[in-house]
Amino acid sequence: MLKDSFFAIFFPSSKIIVNKYAIIKKIAKLIEINYNKKTNFTKESDNMNDTICAISTNTGNNGAISIVRISGPEAIAITSKIFTNLKFATAESHTIHYGYIKWKEEPVDEVLVMKMLAPKTYTTEDIVEINCHGGMISTQKILEILILNGARIAEPGEFTKRAFLNGRINLLEAEAVSDMIEAKTDHARSLAMNGISGKITKLIQNLREEIVNILTNIEVNIDYPEYEDELVITHENILPRIKNITKKLEKIIEESQNGKIIKEGINIAFIGRPNVGKSSLLNAFLEEEKAIVTDVSGTTRDIVEGSISLNGILVNLIDTAGIRDTEDIVEKIGVQKSKEMLETADIIILVLNYNEPLQKEDYELLEIINSKPHIIFLNKNDLPKKINCDKILSNAVLGNTIELTGLDKLKDEIKNRFHLNEFETKDFTYLSNIRQLTLAKQALQNLKSVEVQININTPIDLLEMDLKTAWNQLGLIIGESYEEELVDNLFQKFCLGK
């Protein structure tokens, strides 16, 4: 009330200023809620004051160079203790220095050390990157020396977690960093890059801005009903605005279903009874002898997997054990695994024998896959036709794994089912994981609830709850608000050193 009186005294004739003040107050209140959550989390994370270190390059193979990264308030001081170049401590930011890492005055490795001062760094803290010779012995020794001098080993994803908590990147961008590291195809790289660059963030921020504009209009109408120059919110003028936001969010969600395909690929399970050629088909796709092939039924007793790329999309191929009744304990376990794959595969390729009449197991499999996405491949069409079902013949892809006929047609069918040809022209501005999609769908439900309430003439002020919830759900996607447990779990999935 004091602030209201202040405005009334100094701007007695300015309705616009009062209205602007109301809008600013509303936005500030919303921002304050989320800021407090982030500030409290940062304060509660005592280890944010630690100086952390980790090996940032691949530790699985020897390479020409390894990088050990240090971040935190003591990064420069700790490095200065063990680095022979005396100019390093007082050098300017973003410079590289030559010298040796030492331990008890004994040289450990010849290195190049990069110095980067806060705030223009990945974590917004002081960062040092030690470029040493590749190989685990020297790299691990440097890491050990850093720890002995006061740094601690970083947790998985802690560098990126600090970048998020310090406000350099948002949660969606942080997840995109992990996606970039794990990308297995060029399309997956493009998807991650759009997340890192902020294109996806901008889509979400624009929606939140539209929602908060409606909220502020409602608040001004309630708090300042006497000001006629402000738009009076009615069911008639709010409904088109809500529908417009809903439509945009629906488009984001619909197109983001492609994000899962780009990021995780397509899982295809080859199923069929024993000895119909599933393993031969897998080998033909992979162009290598991945699965053992013999004339003995039941040779494949476990899941055999391989991957190929179709139109830049990762395709995970899974050869399953032949499905049949068996008393063999090992084969029975394999058959059970095959049946489980039917539930998790994105599409099933049922392999039947062109050279044999349909068997009891074939009919059972046809019944099982009837309600699931599937393609039927009639193998061994280089042999005389003995299959006894014209309906299957008319809908199946024919081929064989001896002459490799029908494989291109089978690949084309897979591309058509998942519209892979369209991916060549996409810009991949999608949400990329289940967490993001779930939150977007929850926000959409709240917006649709607002539409329903408008249609039954619910008072305008009662619409605020669902609008605020939708606004908050979209905020959770980009990390404008979050729970500590969520953030901890998310970054634990990152690799060490990132």
Side-chain angles (χ1 to χ4, degrees):
M1 291 299 295
L2 182 61
K3 290 180 180 178
D4 292 348
S5 300
F6 174 87
F7 268 76
I9 293 168
F10 285 91
F11 305 99
S13 62
S14 179
K15 298 176 183 178
I16 294 175
I17 290 178
V18 174
N19 287 336
K20 282 187 176 180
Y21 167 66
I23 292 171
I24 292 168
K25 185 173 73 171
K26 176 62 181 175
I27 294 173
K29 185 178 180 181
L30 290 168
I31 292 172
E32 183 183 9
I33 294 168
N34 295 304
Y35 176 77
N36 286 339
K37 288 182 180 179
K38 183 172 285 192
T39 303
N40 290 338
F41 183 17
T42 305
K43 288 177 180 177
E44 290 166 9
S45 302
D46 295 332
N47 61 6
M48 284 286 288
N49 293 319
D50 294 346
T51 296
I52 57 174
C53 62
I55 300 169
S56 290
T57 42
N58 191 341
T59 57
N61 299 298
N62 289 342
I65 295 172
S66 289
I67 298 175
V68 182
R69 177 184 284 175
I70 313 109
S71 179
E74 298 299 317
I76 307 301
I78 291 172
T79 305
S80 297
K81 290 180 188 177
I82 64 172
F83 189 33
T84 60
N85 192 323
L86 299 179
K87 296 180 180 179
F88 173 79
T90 57
E92 294 182 359
S93 180
H94 292 76
T95 54
I96 298 177
H97 308 271
Y98 169 79
Y100 292 85
I101 296 297
K102 62 182 180 180
W103 175 242
K104 296 181 179 179
E105 303 307 318
E106 177 187 346
V108 173
D109 197 3
E110 184 183 26
V111 297
L112 288 172
V113 179
M114 178 176 286
K115 177 180 182 180
M116 294 172 282
L117 298 177
K120 294 183 178 181
T121 67
Y122 183 68
T123 61
T124 77
E125 304 170 336
D126 288 347
I127 284 184
V128 174
E129 289 187 353
I130 301 173
N131 296 262
C132 58
H133 286 95
M136 288 308 301
I137 299 300
S138 60
T139 309
Q140 291 282 9
K141 184 63 178 178
I142 291 172
L143 186 67
E144 177 188 341
I145 293 170
L146 289 169
I147 293 170
L148 290 171
N149 278 275
R152 71 164 170 83
I153 193 75
E155 299 169 357
E158 189 167 0
F159 289 94
T160 306
K161 181 178 178 180
R162 289 189 175 201
F164 165 65
L165 292 176
N166 290 331
R168 183 186 170 275
I169 59 176
N170 63 41
L171 203 55
L172 192 149
E173 290 165 346
E175 289 177 300
V177 170
S178 180
D179 291 344
M180 178 66 82
I181 294 169
E182 296 175 1
K184 295 181 176 66
T185 67
D186 194 50
H187 287 342
R189 177 200 58 77
S190 296
L191 176 67
M193 194 63 236
N194 280 346
I196 292 171
S197 66
K199 288 180 72 174
I200 305 169
T201 297
K202 190 64 178 175
L203 289 177
I204 301 302
Q205 286 176 332
N206 288 343
L207 290 177
R208 297 186 84 220
E209 186 176 338
E210 290 185 48
I211 293 172
V212 87
N213 285 339
I214 295 173
L215 284 169
T216 53
N217 283 148
I218 293 173
E219 285 288 320
V220 169
N221 282 185
I222 294 170
D223 295 342
Y224 302 92
E226 68 274 19
Y227 294 103
E228 298 174 359
D229 58 323
E230 184 64 34
L231 173 67
V232 176
I233 292 295
T234 65
H235 291 111
E236 288 71 23
N237 61 34
I238 197 175
L239 185 58
R241 295 169 70 181
I242 297 296
K243 284 187 172 181
N244 183 49
I245 299 170
T246 300
K247 185 177 179 181
K248 290 178 182 177
L249 185 54
E250 283 177 331
K251 183 180 178 183
I252 292 172
I253 292 170
E254 181 182 352
E255 292 187 346
S256 292
Q257 305 299 334
N258 293 329
K260 178 182 180 295
I261 294 176
I262 294 169
K263 183 181 173 184
E264 301 175 11
I266 301 166
N267 295 322
I268 299 179
F270 296 128
I271 69 161
R273 58 185 170 82
N275 219 28
V276 293
K278 300 184 301 300
S279 297
S280 296
L281 186 59
L282 175 74
N283 290 340
F285 264 92
L286 298 176
E287 299 181 1
E288 64 172 295
E289 297 300 313
K290 180 87 172 184
I292 298 172
V293 178
T294 73
D295 292 331
V296 178
S297 295
T299 299
T300 303
R301 296 185 171 210
D302 202 352
I303 303 297
V304 181
E305 299 181 67
S307 299
I308 62 170
S309 177
L310 285 181
N311 285 42
I313 301 298
L314 187 71
V315 177
N316 305 306
L317 305 169
I318 305 140
D319 177 27
T320 64
I323 297 178
R324 65 172 178 177
D325 293 329
T326 177
E327 297 303 318
D328 186 298
I329 295 176
V330 177
E331 187 179 359
K332 188 177 288 187
I333 294 171
V335 170
Q336 181 57 37
K337 282 188 176 182
S338 298
K339 291 179 177 178
E340 290 171 1
M341 286 306 306
L342 296 178
E343 302 302 320
T344 58
D346 295 309
I347 192 166
I348 298 161
I349 295 181
L350 173 60
V351 184
L352 300 174
N353 193 342
Y354 183 83
N355 185 237
E356 290 180 346
L358 291 176
Q359 309 293 311
K360 172 176 170 287
E361 291 92 344
D362 294 327
Y363 285 111
E364 290 174 352
L365 289 171
L366 284 166
E367 183 66 27
I368 290 172
I369 69 168
N370 187 49
S371 60
K372 304 177 187 297
H374 67 273
I375 301 170
I376 297 174
F377 182 72
L378 293 181
N379 193 24
K380 306 182 184 181
N381 75 336
D382 54 321
L383 300 175
K385 172 193 167 187
K386 293 184 181 178
I387 192 166
N388 54 345
C389 183
D390 291 336
K391 183 178 179 181
I392 289 176
L393 278 169
S394 62
N395 294 306
V397 176
L398 275 66
N400 67 80
T401 55
I402 302 298
E403 300 165 347
L404 301 182
T405 60
L407 260 66
D408 286 341
K409 189 174 180 182
L410 186 54
K411 289 178 182 178
D412 287 340
E413 185 65 25
I414 295 168
K415 292 177 186 177
N416 291 336
R417 293 293 183 92
F418 292 94
H419 309 289
L420 298 190
N421 291 326
E422 298 176 12
F423 282 75
E424 297 296 329
T425 58
K426 297 285 186 180
D427 67 355
F428 308 128
T429 309
Y430 306 140
L431 302 173
S432 64
N433 61 42
I434 295 298
R435 184 193 74 84
Q436 296 167 10
L437 267 172
T438 300
L439 288 167
K441 289 176 180 177
Q442 289 172 350
L444 182 63
Q445 287 178 353
N446 287 113
L447 289 170
K448 288 188 173 181
S449 173
V450 173
E451 288 188 31
V452 171
Q453 292 177 66
I454 291 172
N455 288 327
I456 61 174
N457 291 317
T458 300
I460 294 293
D461 56 325
L462 296 182
L463 305 179
E464 273 195 288
M465 184 176 293
D466 278 325
L467 283 172
K468 284 179 181 176
T469 302
W471 183 84
N472 191 56
Q473 297 288 5
L474 294 174
L476 288 169
I477 293 176
I478 57 179
E480 289 296 326
S481 57
Y482 54 84
E483 300 296 332
E484 183 173 354
E485 185 179 356
L486 163 70
V487 173
D488 287 341
N489 290 338
L490 189 151
F491 285 103
Q492 283 170 7
K493 298 174 184 177
F494 277 58
C495 60
L496 287 165
K498 194 63 178 177

